[in-house]
Amino acid sequence: MGGTVIEPNVAADVRATEVTDGFHLVIDALKLNGIDTIFGVPGIPITDLTRKAQAAGLRVISFRHEQNAGYAASIAGFMTQKPGICLTVSAPGFLNGLTALANATTNCFPMILISGSSEREVVDLQQGDYEELDQLAIAKPLAKAAFRVLHAEDIGVGIARAIRAAVSGRPGGVYLDLPAKLFPQSVDAEAGRRSLIKVVDPAPRQIPAPEAVKRALDLLRSARKPLIILGKGAAYAQADSEIGNLIEKTGIPYLPMSMAKGLLPDTHEQSASAARSYVLPEADVVMLIGARLNWLLSHGKGKTWGGTAPKDWGGQKFVQVDISPQEADSNVRIDAPVVGDIGSCVSALLAGIGSAWPRPPAEWLGAIAERKTKNVAKMAETLAKNPSPMNFHSALNVVRDIVKANPDAYLVNEGANALDFTRSIVDMYKPRKRLDVGTWGVMGIGMGFAVAAAAVGKQQVIAIEGDSAFGFSGMEVETICRYNLPVCVVILNNNGVYRGDEKNLTGAADPAPLVFVKDARYEKLMEAFGGVGVHATTPDALRKAMEEAIRSRRPTLVNAIIDEGAGTESGRITNLNPSAKKK
Ligand SMILES: Cc1ncc(C[n+]2csc(CCOP(=O)(O)OP(=O)(O)O)c2C)c(N)n1
Ligand SMILES: [Mg+2]
């Protein structure tokens, strides 16, 4: 306990009273609950909190912008099942962190945004305080839960509630408002100690009902063309061996969603990734495990699923394994919902399967294998080409080899083409190693995720970034250098958003809205802070630079020059652009 001793100005025989304060109670409450890292940006009123937290043995990672600290916290939450903590100042700092909080809620990442706030009575009367804003009200609709603590004695409860809200059930972002006045409030040390709560079983298991499990297995057993889809919830659950067993014991082909790649190695023979557009419309029973039927799965309907019109349902029946009882039927009918935590649900399914589960019909497996072989051969041919300048394929062919040789490395990924090509070309071999833009397709997660993966995951990080995507968090290369993190950033630089060859249609001097400065030397940004910068125009140069980065573990930025005409609008989701009839 980091209590201070106040020596009362009285006779020496009067015992000093041990007191603590709001600063120390926040730190002690976090430590008591196993929180060891804080991501944030200092300033009024939390500057001293960052100092004291560091002095108390927490790792404090100070960023250049709160949004990046917030993304770092959220992905740390995904990686560890412990809420990631982001600490900000009031009003603008809070708002900067809020995007990351909303993104965490959308992606079901456990995170707590702790923001200092200004004088309550001044804020509530709108009298114009320094950084005045009703933060709690603003955070509420974007967070899974939001709390405020007004008295130091309540800090223990506030932190306990925030932790439970973040990690129990479906995880999400939680906001905790700590007004400036709270921090210096002093409390008797013993009373303070007693007010803290070590949260018991913060994310309790939720056991599925036996009849739900039976219903799901009966449906799955009846399938002629079964398919399993693994979502990021399945990756989060850390039930890797149970999920692997379920896939292998049933022999059912599976598709990993982006952040579930590597739950089983992407090279697994049951992976149907290379035949995705065949298996989705063809499957008759689909079991979703920790995957939602949102836009990333075309809402379970339309052409992707064999429907004719965009809103048409295909003929599939669905099993949905999910921790939220409200998830089923959100887009199409779910015939067999299995509600519980993924680990408990998959264990129950495994128990019900026993040892005599019939393998899926050979025609189904054969048809998938045939398409896979064809598509893999086609991809190999494309990857073998060596155009000049490089295109996404020839650059990512290198990254693919490097990741294969370094399966423990984290792969952070954002951009449009830079994202879609990386996802399909670079195989993952271990769970929770691929960290990307998630449900929202948000640009800006790159350097925050990279810092968290290196600092918390303690492994090499490879960040594959579109040049536009990188720009959203690029200043954090200073943070990467400052903490000397083993991060190798590779910018797939095609001079712009989607591509770099557009012209201003008016012919005037302003560039087109999607293009950037030609031949920008991003690598010099890393050099500016003492890291290694490399300008790579060939696959060989890219390979050498990445190998050296991993060997040395030094912060490195490789500016990989890609053909500026290589990309397509919005990558794989061109169809989501509203297109006007009038051209
Ligand atoms: C926060 C946010 N702002 C804007 C966008 C729109 N957007 C989607 S992808 C993208 C950048 C694509 O360019 P780049 O990262 O260079 O990838 P490329 O396709 O060129 O490889 C942008 C701005 C977004 N997804 N998120
Ligand atoms: Mg680009």
Side-chain angles (χ1 to χ4, degrees), residues 392 466-468 492-499:
F392 288 98
D467 52 327
S468 165
L492 299 177
N493 184 2
N494 62 354
N495 294 342
V497 177
Y498 312 139
R499 50 199 291 153

Side-chain angles (χ1 to χ4, degrees), residues 67 71 99 392 414-421 437 440-445 465-472 491-500 514 516 522 562 564 566-571 573:
Q67 188 174 111
Y71 287 138
T99 308
F392 288 98
E414 61 176 337
N417 295 279
L419 175 83
D420 293 337
F421 283 119
V437 301
W440 262 354
V442 64
M443 297 299 109
I445 50 91
E465 300 275 312
D467 52 327
S468 165
F470 172 74
F472 287 72
I491 297 184
L492 299 177
N493 184 2
N494 62 354
N495 294 342
V497 177
Y498 312 139
R499 50 199 291 153
L514 291 94
F516 295 151
Y522 291 103
I562 304 289
E564 64 175 15
T568 57
E569 177 126 354
S570 306
I573 51 174

